[in-house]
Each structure stands twice: as structure tokens, then as C-alpha cells.
Amino acid sequence: DIVLTQSPATLSSSPGERATLSCRASRTISTYLAWYQQRPGQAPRLLIYDASTRAAGVPARFSGSGSGTDFTLTISSLEPEDSAVYYCQQRSNWRFGGGTRVEI
Amino acid sequence: QVQLVESGGGVVQPGRSLRLSCTASGFTLNTYGVHWVRQAPGKGLEWVALISLDGSDKRIADSVRGRFTISRDNSNNTVYLQMDSLRPEDTAVYYCARELVVPPRHYNYYMDVWGKGTTITVSS
């Protein structure tokens, strides 16, 4: 089974700063990767699919990149409302990574 | 407004059964595949099950295979998760989520609309 490993576990930053989150797959998954945001007490929200396509209504400060085994979610300029846990997810067995908590 | 609503959660003893329901408003659920995803307290997301839009294809996570069953009633715009032989480790918030559709493609591996979740507590 393909395993997704996210790093760092926690990222602490300030408003306006750039955040870079990593997701590594144990085997190649082409570009079949999504990113979700989960704010405290809320359901997850789809941000990015197919590694780099923004979902409808997602602000342009969120971008995704990567292919094969290494993927990145970048938040270009952090806003206070970006405080959340971010999960990556791949298609072969629908599994999620362990998540990265972003604290602002 | 496009939304999903889960129901059927509660407190149940180990070994007992429970059935969750997922209903839609603002769109027709029978044109989408539907997932169940759960989240144990303080933990990450765990995919549980998927059913195709017509119910012909069903997938279940290894961790619940043989105990959980996914089904749907398209005449009632509802998807179900039947959970039998419940264990304490099944305690979680259970979310239903619809597959992403960007016409004409159905991405049954991504989830774009999620319900708020229903909580299952398995305890004696």
C-alpha cells in the first residue's frame, strides 16, 4: 500500500509569511494527489487536486506542485484564517497523510 | 445551498450495530459517488468506504472490511453506512463526502463537498 508522509508535523509562522508543506509518497503516484484544509471544529475542505489544480473558490495564495513521489502545498502569504491542519490524499487507496498543523 | 448531512450517530456498546445516513440538499446525490471518512478524537483522517453513483461499485477499507457495508437508495437521495460488530477503536466523527465532478470527469478519488459529520462513540 502507498503511504503518504507529511512534513513538518507543525509549522509556526506569521501573517504575510510564506508556508511550504511537504507530502511524500512511498511509491510514485503521478499527479494523483489532493490537499485538504481542516480548520478546528470543521469538516475538511478540498483545496487542490491533481497536485496543482485549485478547487473552485480556493484563494490564489494556495498552490500545489509536484509529481511522482514529492509534492508541495505553498501558501504564498499567510492569513490568520489559514490556521488549520492540512492533509494530502492519494487515489490508489484513498488514504490520507498524517497532516501538518499550521499555526499563525 | 449545496450540502451533505449525516445522521444516525450516538453512543453504542461494543459488538452492537449502527446505521449512518447521508442525505443531500441543493444537488442530486444520485449523480455522484459518495465516500465515508472518519476521524478518531485528536487524530487524522481515515478513508472508510466509497460507493459509485449507481451503487454498482463499492470499496471498503481493510480496517472495517467484513463489519461495515456501504449502500445507497437513490430514490431517497440517501447513502448509508451499516456498521456491525462495533469496536471501541471505531469511535470517531464520521463524515460523508461526495466525489469531485468537473464535467465530464468524475474523480472518485477526490472529495469536494463534505458534511459536518456525526459522532460515534463505542463504549460499554
Side-chain angles (χ1 to χ4, degrees):
Chain A
D1 280 355
I2 296 174
V3 175
L4 297 176
T5 302
Q6 292 188 240
S7 62
T10 303
L11 189 157
S12 298
S13 191
S14 302
E17 294 291 301
R18 182 185 189 90
T20 303
L21 286 64
S22 174
C23 177
R24 176 164 290 177
S26 58
R27 293 203 312 272
T28 182
I29 57 171
S30 184
T31 56
Y32 297 115
L33 187 98
W35 290 94
Y36 298 83
Q37 175 194 64
Q38 187 178 32
R39 294 176 174 141
Q42 295 187 15
R45 169 196 180 196
L46 178 66
L47 295 177
I48 302 286
Y49 65 95
D50 280 352
S52 62
T53 303
R54 264 191 306 275
V58 174
R61 66 180 182 274
F62 292 92
S63 63
S65 63
S67 66
T69 60
D70 291 305
F71 301 87
T72 300
L73 175 70
T74 301
I75 311 172
S76 61
S77 179
L78 284 164
E79 302 276 348
E81 62 264 30
D82 298 335
S83 291
V85 179
Y86 293 81
Y87 296 94
C88 56
Q89 180 237 339
Q90 49 86 15
R91 81 161 187 173
S92 73
N93 54 12
W94 300 278
R95 280 188 183 171
F96 295 86
T100 290
R101 181 178 303 276
V102 174
E103 299 175 340
I104 303 168
Chain B
Q1 185 182 3
V2 170
Q3 61 179 358
L4 292 169
V5 178
E6 304 91 342
S7 60
V11 180
V12 62
Q13 293 179 327
R16 303 298 289 265
S17 298
L18 213 56
R19 188 177 78 163
L20 305 183
S21 300
C22 173
T23 57
S25 60
F27 70 100
T28 304
L29 192 59
N30 63 19
T31 59
Y32 292 85
V34 175
H35 298 262
W36 287 96
V37 175
R38 68 183 181 182
Q39 187 169 35
K43 302 296 184 182
L45 301 172
E46 180 187 12
W47 177 82
V48 174
L50 163 66
I51 188 165
S52 61
L53 61 90
D54 63 359
S56 62
D57 188 14
K58 303 175 186 179
R59 308 296 177 96
I60 295 285
D62 290 344
S63 58
V64 302
R65 184 170 294 121
R67 299 188 299 120
F68 288 14
T69 304
I70 190 169
S71 63
R72 68 190 304 158
D73 180 350
N74 281 345
S75 64
N76 283 324
N77 221 28
T78 303
V79 171
Y80 303 100
L81 186 68
Q82 177 68 39
M83 304 184 295
D84 298 324
S85 303
L86 282 161
R87 304 168 179 169
E89 55 264 36
D90 296 319
T91 294
V93 175
Y94 284 73
Y95 298 99
C96 65
R98 76 176 193 187
E99 67 177 0
L100 172 68
V101 174
V102 181
R105 290 190 64 178
H106 284 246
Y107 295 85
N108 73 353
Y109 33 94
Y110 304 137
M111 307 152 203
D112 75 329
V113 174
W114 295 64
K116 292 185 180 347
T118 186
T119 300
I120 308 300
T121 302
V122 183
S123 173
S124 55

